[in-house]
Amino acid sequence: MSRIVYVNGEYLPEEEAKVSVFDRGFLFADGVYEVTTVMGGKLVDFDGHAKRLWRSMGELEMTPPCTEEELLGIHRSLIEKNGFDEGLIYLQVTRGAADRDFAYPAEGTAPTLVLFHQEKQVADSPAAGKGMRIVSIPDERWGRRDIKTVQLLYPSMGKMAAKKAGADDAWMVEEGVVTEGTSNNAYIVKDGVIVTRQLGTEILHGITRAAVLRFAREAQMKVEERPFTIEEAQGADEAFITSASAFVMPVVEIDGAKLGGGTPGPVATRLREIYIDEMRKAAV
Ligand code: PDD
């Protein structure tokens, strides 16, 4: 059965949804996006995703296509029209269509807004019981990773490099330290201390990261926001990643070195439970 998707004010069967060939998202990757999880037909941390979207648009001097409240309404209509219960909603805003020119159009353009959903088992994920295997690759992305743009070719290449190496994902390394995963934030745990890279322009400010660190601190777990190396990670007791689509996902192997006997660790497992419980309660 075909999905109902949203394009610039209309809800349409996916086959009928169209965007211009002159759209700057298509020509220049001049667009930003968000991925929000849906559990039990409700949105997880919508407010966090909306705030980050507005910040991304602001950094790129992009005109917002609607208000935050209207955006929530669109998400809810999409859920309702599709009878959608669990998975992800992808949202993309681009600067819109204009003749090809590197400079932003002087007269401005109407932004393009697209949303669609993908069903996915997020809460009872089989991968969570198994844990992920990670390989490291150099971080060769642009310098403004705090803006959630649709330029995702390097992360795609990284994911393919991981697959070819028989792993599940790649952690990117810059100046000797880990930045983040191809589409997630990276953490290690040593002697009960959770370590994750501090915020800056080098990584995306994960919405799941913010919530998980808050829950960890509330549970009296110790958190250090600082860089770490692959060697330090290989010597850690456990590791994990976070993202809207994976929640908290244990990591059991890094560049061939097994962590904690190769099974998901207690901190990652506990944080995953807390995150899912709390987010189910707070979903809107
Ligand atoms: N990716 N870092 C990068 C590079 C990401 O692409 C993502 C999210 C994250 C985690 O952010 P959050 O917790 O807000 O999802 C960190 C999304 C899920 C994606 O591209 O599909």
Side-chain angles (χ1 to χ4, degrees), residues 23-25 29-32 57 59-63 93-98 102-105 108-112:
D23 195 279
R24 288 182 59 95
D30 189 355
V32 294
M57 292 189 293
E59 291 296 303
L60 299 176
E61 298 167 44
M62 224 178 246
T63 312
V93 186
T94 76
R95 200 179 305 277
F102 282 79
Y104 304 162
T109 42
T112 300

Short mmCIF file of all heavy atoms in Angstrom, two decimals, residues 23-25 29-32 57 59-63 93-98 102-105 108-112:
data_model
loop_
_atom_site.label_atom_id
_atom_site.label_comp_id
_atom_site.label_asym_id
_atom_site.label_seq_id
_atom_site.Cartn_x
_atom_site.Cartn_y
_atom_site.Cartn_z
N ASP A 23 15.29 22.52 -7.53
CA ASP A 23 15.33 22.68 -6.06
C ASP A 23 16.79 22.68 -5.60
O ASP A 23 17.59 21.82 -5.97
CB ASP A 23 14.57 21.53 -5.39
CG ASP A 23 14.30 21.85 -3.93
OD1 ASP A 23 15.21 21.68 -3.09
OD2 ASP A 23 13.18 22.33 -3.64
N ARG A 24 17.13 23.65 -4.76
CA ARG A 24 18.52 23.79 -4.30
C ARG A 24 18.94 22.64 -3.37
O ARG A 24 20.13 22.40 -3.20
CB ARG A 24 18.71 25.14 -3.61
CG ARG A 24 18.70 26.31 -4.61
CD ARG A 24 18.95 27.62 -3.90
NE ARG A 24 20.22 27.64 -3.21
CZ ARG A 24 21.36 28.13 -3.71
NH1 ARG A 24 21.38 28.64 -4.93
NH2 ARG A 24 22.46 28.12 -2.99
N GLY A 25 17.97 21.94 -2.83
CA GLY A 25 18.32 20.75 -2.05
C GLY A 25 18.92 19.70 -2.97
O GLY A 25 19.92 19.05 -2.64
N ALA A 29 22.63 20.42 -2.21
CA ALA A 29 22.43 19.89 -0.85
C ALA A 29 22.14 21.07 0.10
O ALA A 29 22.58 21.07 1.25
CB ALA A 29 23.63 19.07 -0.36
N ASP A 30 21.42 22.07 -0.44
CA ASP A 30 21.09 23.29 0.31
C ASP A 30 19.80 23.01 1.10
O ASP A 30 18.74 23.57 0.81
CB ASP A 30 20.91 24.44 -0.67
CG ASP A 30 20.78 25.80 0.01
OD1 ASP A 30 20.72 25.84 1.25
OD2 ASP A 30 20.71 26.81 -0.72
N GLY A 31 19.92 22.10 2.05
CA GLY A 31 18.73 21.72 2.82
C GLY A 31 19.12 21.15 4.17
O GLY A 31 20.26 20.72 4.37
N VAL A 32 18.17 21.17 5.07
CA VAL A 32 18.40 20.62 6.41
C VAL A 32 17.29 19.62 6.70
O VAL A 32 16.25 19.61 6.03
CB VAL A 32 18.43 21.74 7.48
CG1 VAL A 32 19.63 22.65 7.26
CG2 VAL A 32 17.14 22.56 7.48
N MET A 57 18.26 26.06 10.30
CA MET A 57 17.76 27.01 9.29
C MET A 57 18.37 28.38 9.54
O MET A 57 18.76 29.07 8.59
CB MET A 57 16.22 27.07 9.32
CG MET A 57 15.56 25.79 8.84
SD MET A 57 13.76 25.90 8.62
CE MET A 57 13.17 26.12 10.28
N GLU A 59 21.26 29.17 10.95
CA GLU A 59 22.67 29.20 10.58
C GLU A 59 22.85 29.35 9.07
O GLU A 59 23.86 29.87 8.61
CB GLU A 59 23.37 27.92 11.05
CG GLU A 59 23.52 27.79 12.55
CD GLU A 59 24.41 28.87 13.16
OE1 GLU A 59 25.57 28.98 12.74
OE2 GLU A 59 23.94 29.60 14.05
N LEU A 60 21.86 28.87 8.30
CA LEU A 60 21.96 28.92 6.83
C LEU A 60 21.10 30.05 6.24
O LEU A 60 20.91 30.12 5.02
CB LEU A 60 21.54 27.58 6.23
CG LEU A 60 22.41 26.39 6.65
CD1 LEU A 60 21.86 25.08 6.08
CD2 LEU A 60 23.85 26.57 6.20
N GLU A 61 20.59 30.93 7.09
CA GLU A 61 19.73 32.05 6.66
C GLU A 61 18.59 31.57 5.78
O GLU A 61 18.29 32.14 4.74
CB GLU A 61 20.57 33.11 5.90
CG GLU A 61 21.64 33.75 6.76
CD GLU A 61 22.64 34.54 5.94
OE1 GLU A 61 22.20 35.27 5.04
OE2 GLU A 61 23.84 34.40 6.19
N MET A 62 17.98 30.48 6.18
CA MET A 62 16.88 29.89 5.42
C MET A 62 15.56 30.35 6.04
O MET A 62 15.46 30.45 7.26
CB MET A 62 16.99 28.37 5.58
CG MET A 62 16.80 27.59 4.32
SD MET A 62 17.02 25.84 4.70
CE MET A 62 18.49 25.53 3.78
N THR A 63 14.56 30.61 5.18
CA THR A 63 13.25 31.03 5.70
C THR A 63 12.49 29.81 6.20
O THR A 63 12.28 28.88 5.42
CB THR A 63 12.42 31.69 4.57
OG1 THR A 63 13.26 32.64 3.92
CG2 THR A 63 11.17 32.35 5.09
N VAL A 93 13.75 20.38 4.86
CA VAL A 93 13.45 21.74 4.39
C VAL A 93 14.60 22.16 3.49
O VAL A 93 15.77 22.06 3.89
CB VAL A 93 13.41 22.78 5.54
CG1 VAL A 93 12.94 24.13 5.01
CG2 VAL A 93 12.52 22.33 6.68
N THR A 94 14.30 22.63 2.29
CA THR A 94 15.36 23.17 1.44
C THR A 94 15.06 24.65 1.16
O THR A 94 13.95 25.13 1.42
CB THR A 94 15.49 22.44 0.09
OG1 THR A 94 14.42 22.88 -0.77
CG2 THR A 94 15.44 20.93 0.26
N ARG A 95 16.07 25.33 0.60
CA ARG A 95 15.88 26.75 0.31
C ARG A 95 14.88 26.95 -0.82
O ARG A 95 14.44 28.07 -1.07
CB ARG A 95 17.23 27.39 -0.04
CG ARG A 95 17.27 28.91 0.10
CD ARG A 95 18.64 29.46 -0.24
NE ARG A 95 19.68 28.84 0.55
CZ ARG A 95 20.01 29.21 1.79
NH1 ARG A 95 19.40 30.20 2.36
NH2 ARG A 95 20.96 28.57 2.45
N GLY A 96 14.52 25.90 -1.53
CA GLY A 96 13.52 26.00 -2.59
C GLY A 96 14.14 26.01 -3.98
O GLY A 96 15.34 25.76 -4.14
N ALA A 97 13.32 26.28 -5.00
CA ALA A 97 13.75 26.19 -6.39
C ALA A 97 14.14 27.55 -6.95
O ALA A 97 13.46 28.55 -6.70
CB ALA A 97 12.62 25.60 -7.24
N ALA A 98 15.27 27.60 -7.70
CA ALA A 98 15.73 28.83 -8.35
C ALA A 98 16.73 28.43 -9.43
O ALA A 98 17.29 27.32 -9.37
CB ALA A 98 16.41 29.75 -7.33
N PHE A 102 25.47 29.70 -7.28
CA PHE A 102 26.03 29.38 -5.96
C PHE A 102 25.49 30.32 -4.88
O PHE A 102 25.22 29.92 -3.76
CB PHE A 102 27.57 29.40 -5.99
CG PHE A 102 28.14 28.15 -6.60
CD1 PHE A 102 28.18 27.99 -7.97
CD2 PHE A 102 28.63 27.13 -5.80
CE1 PHE A 102 28.68 26.82 -8.54
CE2 PHE A 102 29.14 25.96 -6.36
CZ PHE A 102 29.17 25.81 -7.74
N ALA A 103 25.35 31.60 -5.24
CA ALA A 103 24.81 32.56 -4.26
C ALA A 103 23.35 32.23 -3.98
O ALA A 103 22.62 31.78 -4.87
CB ALA A 103 24.93 33.97 -4.81
N TYR A 104 22.91 32.46 -2.75
CA TYR A 104 21.49 32.27 -2.43
C TYR A 104 20.69 33.27 -3.29
O TYR A 104 21.13 34.40 -3.48
CB TYR A 104 21.19 32.59 -0.96
CG TYR A 104 21.98 31.83 0.09
CD1 TYR A 104 22.04 32.32 1.40
CD2 TYR A 104 22.63 30.63 -0.19
CE1 TYR A 104 22.73 31.64 2.40
CE2 TYR A 104 23.33 29.95 0.81
CZ TYR A 104 23.39 30.46 2.09
OH TYR A 104 24.06 29.81 3.07
N PRO A 105 19.51 32.88 -3.79
CA PRO A 105 18.71 33.81 -4.61
C PRO A 105 18.43 35.12 -3.86
O PRO A 105 17.95 35.08 -2.72
CB PRO A 105 17.41 33.04 -4.85
CG PRO A 105 17.75 31.61 -4.58
CD PRO A 105 18.85 31.59 -3.58
N GLY A 108 15.00 35.79 -2.71
CA GLY A 108 14.45 34.77 -1.82
C GLY A 108 13.64 33.75 -2.59
O GLY A 108 13.26 33.98 -3.74
N THR A 109 13.35 32.64 -1.99
CA THR A 109 12.57 31.58 -2.64
C THR A 109 11.65 30.99 -1.58
O THR A 109 11.92 31.08 -0.39
CB THR A 109 13.49 30.42 -3.13
OG1 THR A 109 14.45 30.16 -2.11
CG2 THR A 109 14.18 30.74 -4.43
N ALA A 110 10.58 30.37 -2.06
CA ALA A 110 9.70 29.69 -1.11
C ALA A 110 10.38 28.38 -0.72
O ALA A 110 10.78 27.61 -1.59
CB ALA A 110 8.36 29.39 -1.78
N PRO A 111 10.58 28.14 0.57
CA PRO A 111 11.25 26.90 0.95
C PRO A 111 10.43 25.67 0.56
O PRO A 111 9.20 25.76 0.43
CB PRO A 111 11.38 27.01 2.47
CG PRO A 111 10.42 28.06 2.89
CD PRO A 111 10.19 28.96 1.73
N THR A 112 11.11 24.55 0.35
CA THR A 112 10.43 23.28 0.08
C THR A 112 10.36 22.51 1.39
O THR A 112 11.37 22.40 2.09
CB THR A 112 11.24 22.46 -0.95
OG1 THR A 112 11.33 23.21 -2.16
CG2 THR A 112 10.60 21.11 -1.22
#
